[in-house]
Amino acid sequence: MQQKSKLFLQALKYSIPRLGKCMQKQHLNHYNFADHYYNRIKLKKCHLTKCLQDKPTISELARNIPSRSFSCKDFLPIQQENKDSLSENMDAFEKVRTKLETQPQEEYEIINAEVKHGGFVYYQEGCCLVRSKDEEDNDNYEVLFNLEELKLDQPFIDCIRVAPDEKYVAAKIRTEDSEASTCIVVKLSDQPVMEASFPNVSSFEWVKDEEEEDVLFYTFQRNLRCHDVYRATFGDNKRNERFYTEKDPSYFVFLYLTKDSRFLTINIMNKTTSEVWLIDGLSPWDPPVLIQKRIHGVLYYVEHRDDELYILTNVGEPTEFKLMRTAADTPAIMNWDLFFTMKRNTKVVDLDMFKDHCVLFLKHSNLLYVNVIGLADDSVRSLKLPPWACGFIMDTNSDPKNCPFQLCSPIRPPKYYTYKFAEGKLFEETGHEDPITKTSRVLRLEAKSKDGKSVPMTIFHKTDSEDLQKKPLLVHVYGAYGMDLKMNFRPERRVLVDDGWILAYCHVRGGGELGLQWHADGRLTKKLNGLADLEACIKTLHGQGFSQPSLTALTAFSAGGVLVGALCNSNPELLRAVTLEAPFLDVLNTMMDTTLPLTLEELEEWGNPSSDEKHKNYIKRYCPYQNIKPQHYPSIHITAYENDERVPLKGIVSYTDKLKEAIMEHAKDTGEGYQAPNVVLDIQPGGNHVIEDSHKKITAQIKFLYEELGLDSTSVFENLKKYLKF
């Protein structure tokens, strides 16, 4: 499995309550550590089968589930300006949406989780877990398990693992409105049958013991915390026992099987520190071996090849990732030898190990690179990837001669590339070139923050756009947990660019785009650096002729809401509208509530206001909820989820109520004729913080932006039907 260095941020995906958006339709993200950990899952495109066509679409389900939407204008008895022309535009939107929702489409592509093992391909087809001998023949498959037997609402397979001899297959199953996962184990006999079912499983791997018996190791997650490791056997010798328990509540446990299946690793980690234990894949009942006891501030992740451990770690100076290696039988840190170092301000996106090569996927100066290291001669070949590319998608790589991957951007679908070791060359997929390459531009710019730090930005706009100052601008930001701002393909973003929008992605401190130090410079008592960076980015964009405040909108998810909410308090004049999804807005009260599932795990990101007065006072300086005041705010649309365990609904509702009060107070002081901003809180049912992008949500957010900026929305919704099934 290639995602060694993803372990730390994969743990964040499950352990942090304010994680950035990480799932598209396929429930896998495209390039970041945390969001594509399972290497043996492949992105697979296929046409809808009859089974899927009989099921209601996502948008149909969303329309049948009641949500609660509150608008600030519902509470403000203030005279509004005449908006007849805008109402006409929105009437046109409703007509177009109605037309699209009732218009059948002949084909619609979906993306499934898929794993190849031996001579079979395993994937989800309709409501079933299936296997097929022909990867390309989607109509010739054997049903292994019907997901409907679990009595879940719209279940989907999130991960698949096949036992070494294909006697069993295990699959993790979730629903769209919950983060809870169920792991089922199916016996692969003439009549496949479900052998076992385990609730609340996070990670799981198969190994085979000395007696050729398959052993399933899995981690159990309770209240979003994953501390327990179990191992189980099936058939005539059924066993299920707890194998390990982590006592420190700030740590998270995750399992990973090295790519050569030689070792199962138990990875114990928090935001800044990790510890790894090895389980011999040949003797899984033996006690595990500790590689290196946890050292505060030291992260490390392990891969294996030819009796050597390859360790990606930040130990030593500079405190960025570097690759080390040591003999498998002497794994302690004093035996680690430096093997390869990265340039400063380099983000290690991924690592893949082959028989004779190690491939590093990197981001440097906001551009993507692939470094191919020859393990026989220690040669290094660095490949600069196309400038349009913003993200990697790691592909299945069972072929030892080739390293396949995909590149994508927010407005361009993934494109396949393959590095062939024998030729020493990178080959790209041939065929029809996406027209977006000729009709749009991608720019890499920098803004200067208050302290002189250069903050990278990625800009997209139409090539033939004239007078960019009069075009609408949508700014994206995150800036937390060392996570990259998500730049995977989003069809609605492409439609916006086609409709004349400028998209700007601001890679502020607190994120991970420039390496570990970039994150360190934007967490704890340096959080205000991220706010200063965001402010500098927007002012730089306006100063260089990209839009203007009256046409500028800002969007964020989860922890990105901290910076957005803070900017709305400190510099609301820079914005016209804001869209937030499951936003983290009440940092202080949330971090002081230790009864919440993950507060203890968040201390190293936000600080401990309960016991540290310095942290408490610092959080008060930027916390969006704490700094609301009577003034003019941009219009704000918030999507929240009723049972979200990561960002409690209570904090979002409290923020919205306090904001409305401040707006009404300001309106009262300003007098009659004041155009009050619109504040909408849309509470959706369900409790999945990383819920996929429903079409209802997408259209609601776009409608809000067009309405608030006074734009004609007719063409944008006509174009959306090319990508979304209404």
Side-chain angles (χ1 to χ4, degrees), residues 427-439:
F427 295 84
E428 67 176 287
E429 176 188 27
T430 58
H432 177 69
E433 184 66 23
D434 194 310
I436 198 73
T437 59
K438 294 183 179 180
T439 61

Side-chain angles (χ1 to χ4, degrees), residues 105 108 491-492 695 698-699 720-726:
Q105 291 190 333
Y108 175 59
E492 69 273 20
H695 303 155
I698 292 172
T699 55
L720 266 178
K721 69 182 180 182
K722 299 177 183 177
Y723 303 99
L724 304 180
K725 181 178 175 61
F726 286 83

Side-chain angles (χ1 to χ4, degrees), residues 14 200-202 219-226 252 646:
Y14 292 97
N200 301 315
V201 169
S202 175
T219 55
F220 178 77
Q221 185 168 302
R222 181 189 295 109
N223 295 326
L224 300 180
R225 296 176 178 174
C226 194
F252 188 91
R646 298 181 182 273

Side-chain angles (χ1 to χ4, degrees), residues 25 34 58 77 179 254 370 395 426 500 526 538 582 632:
K25 173 67 182 173
I58 295 172
E179 292 190 52
F254 203 88
V370 168
D395 213 328
L426 184 66
K526 295 183 179 180
I538 296 176
H632 180 75

Side-chain angles (χ1 to χ4, degrees), residues 363-575:
K363 181 184 293 185
H364 180 72
S365 298
N366 215 16
L367 295 171
L368 301 184
Y369 293 80
V370 168
N371 279 10
V372 181
I373 305 174
L375 300 178
D377 56 6
D378 292 348
S379 62
V380 179
R381 179 174 174 79
S382 182
L383 304 173
K384 185 178 181 180
L385 299 175
W388 63 263
C390 300
F392 293 102
I393 303 174
M394 303 310 157
D395 213 328
T396 308
N397 52 6
S398 56
D399 184 355
K401 298 179 180 179
N402 302 314
C403 178
F405 58 91
Q406 299 175 67
L407 299 176
C408 65
S409 85
I411 64 172
R412 180 168 174 167
K415 185 173 184 178
Y416 280 92
Y417 288 79
T418 301
Y419 184 85
K420 297 187 177 182
F421 298 116
E423 291 89 340
K425 295 181 180 179
L426 184 66
F427 295 84
E428 67 176 287
E429 176 188 27
T430 58
H432 177 69
E433 184 66 23
D434 194 310
I436 198 73
T437 59
K438 294 183 179 180
T439 61
S440 67
R441 295 183 64 191
V442 55
L443 304 172
R444 262 74 177 197
L445 304 178
E446 288 186 343
K448 287 290 185 182
S449 196
K450 292 179 181 179
D451 59 359
K453 185 71 69 173
S454 296
V455 184
M457 298 182 288
T458 308
I459 318 296
F460 302 90
H461 67 83
K462 287 183 71 174
T463 305
D464 59 358
S465 292
E466 297 180 358
D467 198 359
L468 291 172
Q469 194 171 18
K470 296 182 179 179
K471 299 296 182 182
L473 168 66
L474 183 61
V475 179
H476 301 71
V477 71
Y478 186 67
Y481 302 113
M483 303 284 291
D484 289 11
L485 182 59
K486 299 296 180 290
M487 300 189 68
N488 47 298
F489 175 63
R490 296 280 296 272
E492 69 273 20
R493 302 300 188 224
R494 175 169 180 152
V495 170
L496 289 178
V497 169
D498 286 339
D499 205 42
W501 284 72
I502 304 165
L503 304 185
Y505 291 76
C506 303
H507 310 293
V508 304
R509 279 174 284 185
E513 288 87 346
L514 299 184
L516 296 176
Q517 190 60 47
W518 197 246
H519 171 221
D521 288 343
R523 68 182 184 95
L524 295 176
T525 55
K526 295 183 179 180
K527 274 290 177 185
L528 285 170
N529 284 340
L531 177 60
D533 292 352
L534 177 59
E535 178 183 334
C537 287
I538 296 176
K539 289 181 176 179
T540 298
L541 289 167
H542 292 163
Q544 295 193 15
F546 293 99
S547 195
Q548 54 188 291
S550 62
L551 290 172
T552 297
L554 181 56
T555 185
F557 173 82
S558 196
V562 173
L563 297 183
V564 173
L567 185 69
C568 289
N569 289 328
S570 63
N571 291 92
E573 69 279 358
L574 295 176
L575 308 169

Side-chain angles (χ1 to χ4, degrees), residues 255-319:
L255 302 179
Y256 160 63
L257 188 66
T258 58
K259 188 177 179 182
D260 60 5
S261 300
R262 183 64 177 82
F263 291 104
L264 175 68
T265 65
I266 301 177
N267 301 271
I268 305 146
M269 59 201 73
N270 63 16
K271 307 300 182 294
T272 61
T273 305
S274 63
E275 176 180 286
V276 182
W277 293 74
L278 293 179
I279 296 176
D280 192 331
L282 302 177
S283 305
W285 300 103
D286 291 348
V289 175
L290 175 64
I291 291 183
Q292 173 58 48
K293 185 178 180 179
R294 63 193 75 172
I295 302 172
H296 181 73
V298 174
L299 295 165
Y300 70 96
Y301 319 100
V302 178
E303 183 50 84
H304 176 264
R305 169 190 173 271
D306 288 350
D307 295 326
E308 286 188 314
L309 300 179
Y310 287 78
I311 302 168
L312 193 66
T313 180
N314 67 333
V315 69
E317 293 294 335
T319 55

